[in-house]
């Protein structure tokens, strides 16, 4: 059996250039990772939709979530078959090894089990009771040019903001009411999709809720037990530095390639804390999943009394599922499944400056904190970075106070407090195909008073 630590080491093959991979037969770890990607994706898509009262089939997932993915995984996944048996999805990848397994638990979504997993050997995972009903978001006619708004939404579904992109859902809120909503076939208001890195902004919101309860301090060193040894310089990394991607830590890859964790079965508390400092804390911007994973680990003791689902249910996000690794660590850097309507509610919380139904959920000033680029900034690109949110103050036609949650494959939640507007765009954009979210936001805002 391949151990988790060995899998994490050999998973580095995934970051080789595609041309190099094409010259080398895929390794066992490479094939196992592809199988894990497929097992988890099918499990999460099918079961969260079912729990939300909608319907997805493995064939639908194959046609949408499992095409246009990382080019080194695409041909392997296409040749693998996902088998469903109750709450388990399995994908065979080697005749001499057990299949990769993903397991569903009601209220929690799915978990990718570790390599070599034998069905029935996982830790006990009790179903999580969820709020089963909440008032639907109200709808209204838009204030502004309704025809122009409809045209902008239609262009989002017809390559108008990026050739080859694939929009699956759009929801626009104005003054807390849905003024535009549309979905692609196989999707709809109750079909969750993976958030990818939009989850980072959800993580920042959970941190804010913990701060409001007096259970976290963003200015204090992050409570990571691995860093408490005498003389460990990582002990100086604050929760804020992690939220601003300014920890100074390095890793094997920057950005969103923590594949051994996401699809391989390695646990977050095994992978994330072990990286060394490369730069002084707070001096360098480096976008990395590990920083968010570590920030979530720092507040993990609060989850016993206040799990992520508590906040989601409070906001009426009853079709939102925060998934964990097999050891129970929340993977709030990427692995949340939710609907466009639920993300609209999330955005509206910030339009309302952290107040929901008359009660303060986030600290006063939290919106300004997460949307202010006060730390080191990306050296390239059109957007700045706040604290788990992107900043859109350099986007033409977009108000300076606009900020957003961005995720892989075209997940966007644009929040414009000065206009009382939230714009949600869900997608399954193929790798290398970019949706111009700034242009879309500009055209939607131009259509609204």
């Amino acid at each position: 059996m391949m151990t988790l630590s060995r899998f994490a080491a050999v998973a580095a093959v995934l970051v080789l250039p595609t041309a190099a991979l094409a010259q080398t037969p895929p390794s066992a770890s490479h094939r196992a990772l592809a199988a894990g990607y497929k097992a988890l994706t099918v499990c999460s898509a099918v079961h969260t939709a079912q729990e939300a009262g909608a319907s997805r089939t493995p064939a639908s997932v194959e046609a949408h979530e499992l095409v246009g993915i990382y080019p080194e995984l695409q041909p392997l996944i296409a040749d693998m078959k996902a088998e469903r048996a109750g709450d388990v999805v399995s994908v065979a990848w080697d005749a001499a090894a057990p299949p990769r397994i993903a397991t569903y638990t009601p209220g929690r979504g799915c978990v990718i089990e570790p390599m070599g997993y034998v069905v029935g050997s996982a830790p006990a995972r009790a179903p999580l009771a969820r709020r089963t009903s909440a008032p639907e978001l109200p709808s209204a006619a838009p204030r502004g040019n309704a025809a122009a708004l409809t045209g902008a939404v239609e262009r989002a579904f017809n390559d108008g903001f990026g050739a080859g992109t694939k929009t699956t859902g759009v929801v626009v809120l104005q003054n807390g009411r849905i003024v535009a909503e549309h979905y692609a076939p196989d999707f709809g208001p109750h079909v969750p999709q993976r958030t990818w890195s939009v989850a980072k902004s959800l993580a920042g919101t959970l941190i804010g809720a913990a701060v409001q309860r007096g259970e976290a301090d963003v200015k204090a060193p992050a409570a990571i037990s691995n860093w408490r040894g005498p003389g460990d310089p990582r002990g100086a990394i604050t929760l804020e530095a992690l939220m601003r991607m300014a920890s100074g830590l390095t890793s094997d890859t920057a950005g969103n390639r923590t594949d051994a964790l996401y699809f391989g079965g390695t646990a977050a508390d095994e992978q994330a804390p072990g990286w060394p400092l490369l730069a002084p804390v707070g001096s360098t911007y480096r976008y990395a999943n590990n920083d968010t994973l570590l920030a979530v680990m720092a507040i993990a003791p609060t989850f016993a009394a206040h799990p992520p689902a508590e906040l989601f249910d409070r906001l009426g996000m009853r079709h939102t599922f925060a998934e964990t690794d097999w050891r129970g660590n929340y993977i709030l850097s990427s692995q949340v499944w939710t609907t466009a309507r639920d993300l609209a509610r999330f955005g509206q919380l910030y339009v309302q400056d952290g107040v929901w139904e008359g009660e303060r959920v986030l600290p006063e000033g939290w919106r300004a904190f997460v949307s202010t680029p006060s730390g080191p900034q990306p050296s390239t690109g059109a957007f700045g970075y706040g604290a788990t949110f992107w900043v859109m103050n350099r986007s033409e036609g977009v108000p300076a106070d606009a900020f957003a949650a961005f995720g892989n494959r075209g997940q966007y939640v644009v929040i414009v407090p000065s206009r009382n507007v939230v714009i949600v765009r869900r997608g399954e954009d193929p790798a290398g195909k970019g949706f111009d979210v700034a242009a879309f936001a500009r055209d939607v805002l131009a259509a609204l008073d």
Side-chain angles (χ1 to χ4, degrees):
M1 181 188 305
M2 184 179 292
T3 66
L4 295 179
S5 59
R6 175 165 170 72
F7 182 88
V10 299
V13 70
L14 295 174
V15 302
L16 291 174
T18 303
L21 289 170
Q23 299 170 8
T24 306
S27 66
S29 61
H30 197 183
R31 289 183 283 111
L33 189 75
Y37 190 117
K38 186 162 192 173
L40 181 62
T41 302
V42 171
C43 182
S44 297
V46 170
H47 283 101
T48 62
Q50 185 177 53
E51 188 169 341
S55 178
R56 293 294 303 282
T57 65
S60 171
V61 182
E62 292 265 9
H64 298 294
E65 282 90 343
L66 293 174
V67 295
I69 64 172
Y70 301 132
E72 65 271 25
L73 298 185
Q74 184 72 78
L76 297 175
I77 282 179
D79 290 338
M80 295 175 174
K81 184 177 181 181
E83 302 280 357
R84 290 183 61 212
D87 292 340
V88 172
V89 174
S90 62
V91 177
W93 61 277
D94 190 294
R100 298 304 312 280
I101 299 290
T103 308
Y104 163 73
T105 302
R108 301 182 184 275
C110 292
V111 167
I112 186 66
E113 306 291 359
M115 298 278 290
Y117 167 81
V118 177
V119 174
S121 65
R125 302 183 185 113
L128 182 64
R130 300 294 304 276
R131 181 175 177 176
T132 57
S133 64
E136 290 287 358
L137 286 166
S139 299
R143 290 180 51 188
N145 187 328
L149 178 60
T150 298
V153 173
E154 288 178 350
R155 289 195 298 277
F157 284 85
N158 293 289
D159 282 4
F161 298 99
T165 57
K166 185 177 182 179
T167 299
T168 57
V170 167
V171 171
V172 179
L173 294 188
Q174 182 185 39
N175 301 320
R177 296 175 179 272
I178 297 176
V179 295
E181 182 174 29
H182 190 66
Y183 298 96
D186 277 0
F187 296 89
H190 304 309
V191 174
Q193 291 176 256
R194 184 172 174 148
T195 59
W196 296 94
S197 288
V198 165
K200 293 178 172 68
S201 304
L202 294 169
T205 305
L206 289 162
I207 292 169
V211 171
Q212 174 65 14
R213 296 191 303 266
E215 298 174 348
D217 179 358
V218 296
K219 302 294 184 181
I224 305 298
S225 59
N226 307 59
W227 299 347
R228 290 177 179 167
D232 192 329
R234 298 171 299 181
I237 299 173
T238 63
L239 189 53
E240 180 176 4
L242 293 169
M243 294 177 69
R244 294 193 182 277
M245 301 293 179
S247 66
L249 294 169
T250 188
S251 58
D252 51 357
T253 62
N256 63 349
R257 297 305 296 264
T258 43
D259 301 337
L261 170 62
Y262 286 176
F263 310 114
T266 299
D269 55 357
E270 294 175 312
Q271 171 143 335
W275 299 104
L277 274 177
L278 185 66
V281 178
S283 68
T284 305
Y285 173 88
R286 186 174 190 268
Y287 185 85
N289 291 332
N290 286 324
D291 278 17
T292 302
L293 291 165
L294 289 162
V296 172
M297 285 178 60
I299 67 162
T302 72
F303 293 152
H306 303 285
E310 177 186 82
L311 176 62
F312 299 151
D313 289 353
R314 183 176 183 180
L315 301 179
M317 298 171 63
R318 63 192 187 281
H319 298 150
T320 299
F321 303 86
E323 295 183 335
T324 70
D325 64 30
W326 69 281
R327 294 171 69 167
N329 302 294
Y330 283 98
I331 309 178
L332 286 164
S333 57
S334 174
Q335 224 148 288
V336 178
W337 287 70
T338 188
T339 65
R341 286 186 181 180
D342 279 9
L343 288 179
R345 289 174 177 271
F346 161 64
Q348 186 64 24
L349 174 67
Y350 280 94
V351 166
Q352 296 169 188
D353 199 20
V355 174
W356 194 262
E357 295 180 341
E359 296 183 5
R360 180 156 287 286
V361 175
L362 304 175
E364 188 173 355
W366 189 257
R367 182 176 72 191
F369 170 73
V370 300
S371 63
T372 299
S374 65
Q377 292 297 294
S379 58
T380 60
F383 306 107
Y385 202 76
T388 72
F389 283 85
W390 293 90
V391 181
M392 300 182 69
N393 58 352
R394 300 196 297 266
S395 300
E396 182 180 355
V398 177
D401 68 332
F403 62 106
F406 292 171
N408 187 34
R409 294 181 67 86
Q411 320 310 318
Y412 298 104
V413 184
V414 179
I415 302 161
V416 192
S418 62
R419 298 286 301 276
N420 205 358
V421 168
V422 178
I423 303 166
V424 178
R425 187 268 185 177
R426 307 304 307 272
E428 291 297 343
D429 298 339
K433 302 295 183 181
F435 183 86
D436 190 342
V437 66
F440 180 53
R442 177 199 65 213
D443 287 5
V444 167
L445 291 166
L448 300 173
D449 283 342

